[in-house]
Amino acid sequence: MAAFAQSAPCWVDVQLPDLEAGKRFYGELFGWTFRAGDGPRADALSGGALVAALAAKQDGRMPTTWGVYFATADITDSVARVREAGGQVITEPVRAGLGALAQAADPGGAVFGLWQAGERAGFQKQNEPGSFCWTEVYTRQKERVDPFYEEVFGFRSVDPDEAGSGAPGTDESGVDFRIWSPAGTEPGPDTAVGGRSVITDAFPAMMPSYFLVYFAVADVDESAETVVRLGGRVSAPPFDIPYGRMAVLQDDQGAVFAVLQPPVS
């Protein structure tokens, strides 16, 4: 399996109260098949390629949410960088045959994972229907969060207006948004691997900072209809953005995610 570039998103998983219900939901929505993972987990496959994992929550107090992991060649160093940059380490590095993982939170409280590859590098497919294609953090503390990700991951950040339109998540509503490109690349939509958006006053004051995970789909409108039919909810109905058409959805257990349909070339 090919290695991932340093700091690139390389894996996603979701914590669910009911693992079997999650398999039914995402199996029908994305056409995923599943195989048993370590512990109460299931690896999700699209066309036989690894794309995600579903896990049964071990503690009912844990949020029902999708999480994203960023690749690192040295997880100990990355954890140290998180602390130095003002973040919090939630789970110290845990090493296993598949790799090593840790969980952390940025200064605004958004949680993310770190992954050092072992037997598993991460996704075997992305940017294709039924697989991961984008992520962005939503925060109220951009002044602290922007330098944090630049220091921890070496991201080169740029406002989409500075780089030209075309980045996932940009729109014409004036939302404060930045895109991240890995170190050593020219920052802009062509190299972007994620981004940062600001939580506005339009959202409840108690909404915490969080990462939103996007999956590519062939038809956003059909995906939204399928989610409702399966007992989920549509948080943001399908709408057009410069990078295609997207919607924000919620599964039947409450986990929020987004889907993105690329524009017709």
Side-chain angles (χ1 to χ4, degrees), residues 114-166:
L114 299 165
W115 179 254
Q116 180 179 326
E119 296 175 13
R120 175 176 295 177
F123 310 118
Q124 291 178 327
K125 179 167 75 173
Q126 57 181 314
N127 300 318
E128 298 179 37
S131 66
F132 170 88
C133 66
W134 183 254
T135 190
E136 60 204 23
V137 65
Y138 282 75
T139 184
R140 288 187 173 86
Q141 300 186 40
K142 68 174 185 176
E143 294 81 5
R144 299 178 64 197
V145 165
D146 286 348
F148 172 84
Y149 288 103
E150 292 170 4
E151 182 174 342
V152 172
F153 293 124
F155 288 148
R156 303 184 67 190
S157 301
V158 64
D159 293 332
D161 287 345
E162 298 173 22
S165 63

Side-chain angles (χ1 to χ4, degrees), residues 10-11 69-76 78-79 91-103 113-121:
C10 64
W11 191 245
Y69 294 77
F70 294 90
T72 175
D74 187 336
I75 199 166
T76 301
S78 294
V79 164
T91 304
E92 295 287 349
V94 177
R95 300 180 185 274
L98 295 178
L101 66 85
Q103 283 193 315
L114 299 165
W115 179 254
Q116 180 179 326
E119 296 175 13
R120 175 176 295 177

